[in-house]
Amino acid sequence: MSDKFLNCLFSKPKAKFALICFPWAGGGSNFYAQWGKMFPEFIEVCGVTLPGREGRFREPCSTDTEQILQDTCTALINRYPDRDLVFWGHSMGALYSLDTALRLKALHHKQPVRMFCSGISAPHAPERKISGSRVSTMSDSDFIEFLKKLGGTPEQVLSDPEMMKLFIPPLRADYVMMEGFSSQIGSEPPLSCPLHIFDGEDDVKHNLKAWEDVTSGETTTQFLPGGHFYLKEPSNQSYLISHISKSLE
């Protein structure tokens, strides 16, 4: 299970921390797995690979949120029974990482020692309540219009019919899966780990303040130059890797 879900290109058996990176909608794990060579030896990096992507491309994309969360937790516990876990998630990956953290705590009495969430409003924020049709009921053309309004998907992808044939199945599956993320945030924060929140200066405005309700631990917020995929810029990528590393020293 862990071999399918967790893509680790640079194994570090003596690392104290396992940095688990959750994909954005339609994304894979290789972008993050490459980070492993840039982190110090005390941090091992794994990208989460969902069905239908990269090494799992022969599997059908899944919209079963419950099964995905259960399988993710099982993979993490099997591979890292004693390692300190650190979660990073951008856009959909932030919501996915939070639901995984809540499930881990409920089922295994374990939570990340630190979390990094990026590029999206907190799950319980009013901004996350998208009006109109659910993605699961949209036609392909309506779904493409939905993506255009939402922002974040490169225009060269949206305007290329052949590319969209490849991207629509995982993108649609992920947005349907997002409809299943519950992330129940009550009057008391469900987590206690420190939480660092990042966003692109030129991205659409997100409700980052609401992320503070997720944890009783320290929270910080920082903006970096760029739009929704600011983290792909080499300078921002280097900054994030340095920031995460220093926070774990």
Side-chain angles (χ1 to χ4, degrees), residues 70-89:
Q70 180 178 323
D71 290 347
T72 305
C73 289
T74 299
L76 290 173
I77 291 298
N78 286 347
R79 183 178 177 98
Y80 299 116
D82 303 312
R83 200 87 61 96
D84 286 339
L85 300 177
V86 180
F87 284 1
W88 162 275

Side-chain angles (χ1 to χ4, degrees), residues 146-154 158 175 203-204 228-229:
F146 166 80
L147 292 174
K148 289 179 179 178
K149 291 178 181 177
L150 200 62
T153 303
L158 291 170
Y175 276 104
D203 199 357
V204 296
H228 189 62
F229 286 105

Side-chain angles (χ1 to χ4, degrees), residues 6-220:
L6 302 178
N7 179 7
C8 178
L9 297 180
F10 301 90
S11 179
K12 299 173 183 177
K14 296 182 179 180
K16 174 177 173 56
F17 301 99
L19 174 63
I20 311 302
C21 300
F22 294 79
W24 55 77
S29 60
N30 283 331
F31 173 82
Y32 290 129
Q34 292 290 340
W35 280 10
K37 64 184 174 184
M38 295 178 275
F39 272 92
E41 286 302 307
F42 64 90
I43 303 173
E44 180 173 289
V45 180
C46 273
V48 175
T49 312
L50 289 170
R53 329 293 157 87
E54 299 165 337
R56 304 182 67 186
F57 75 96
R58 295 186 184 277
E59 300 177 44
C61 294
S62 175
T63 59
D64 188 338
T65 309
E66 286 298 309
Q67 190 64 54
I68 288 291
L69 290 170
Q70 180 178 323
D71 290 347
T72 305
C73 289
T74 299
L76 290 173
I77 291 298
N78 286 347
R79 183 178 177 98
Y80 299 116
D82 303 312
R83 200 87 61 96
D84 286 339
L85 300 177
V86 180
F87 284 1
W88 162 275
H90 174 70
S91 198
M92 180 196 81
L95 305 183
Y96 181 9
S97 72
L98 176 58
D99 259 33
T100 300
L102 298 178
R103 186 65 58 91
L104 268 179
K105 182 182 178 183
L107 295 180
H108 302 283
H109 309 290
K110 181 173 185 173
Q111 63 176 296
V113 298
R114 196 171 290 266
M115 290 187 67
F116 299 85
C117 292
S118 165
I120 198 167
S121 298
H124 60 296
E127 290 81 355
R128 287 296 308 156
K129 309 299 182 185
I130 301 172
S131 60
S133 301
R134 293 168 64 87
V135 169
S136 54
T137 65
M138 291 181 186
S139 66
D140 282 355
S141 58
D142 287 342
F143 180 57
I144 292 173
E145 288 304 310
F146 166 80
L147 292 174
K148 289 179 179 178
K149 291 178 181 177
L150 200 62
T153 303
E155 179 60 35
Q156 62 265 36
V157 173
L158 291 170
S159 61
D160 188 326
E162 292 303 312
M163 289 186 73
M164 286 308 294
K165 285 181 182 179
L166 297 174
F167 279 93
I168 279 181
L171 273 170
R172 182 190 288 276
D174 284 353
Y175 276 104
V176 172
M177 185 172 70
M178 271 197 284
E179 292 173 356
F181 287 141
S182 57
S183 300
Q184 296 297 322
I185 310 298
S187 58
E188 295 295 326
L191 300 175
S192 59
C193 61
L195 171 61
H196 306 267
I197 306 141
F198 287 91
D199 211 352
E201 290 176 345
D202 301 323
D203 199 357
V204 296
K205 183 176 176 57
H206 296 124
N207 187 337
L208 306 182
K209 177 72 174 175
W211 280 104
E212 296 177 7
D213 301 334
V214 167
T215 182
S216 59
E218 177 190 11
T219 60
T220 64

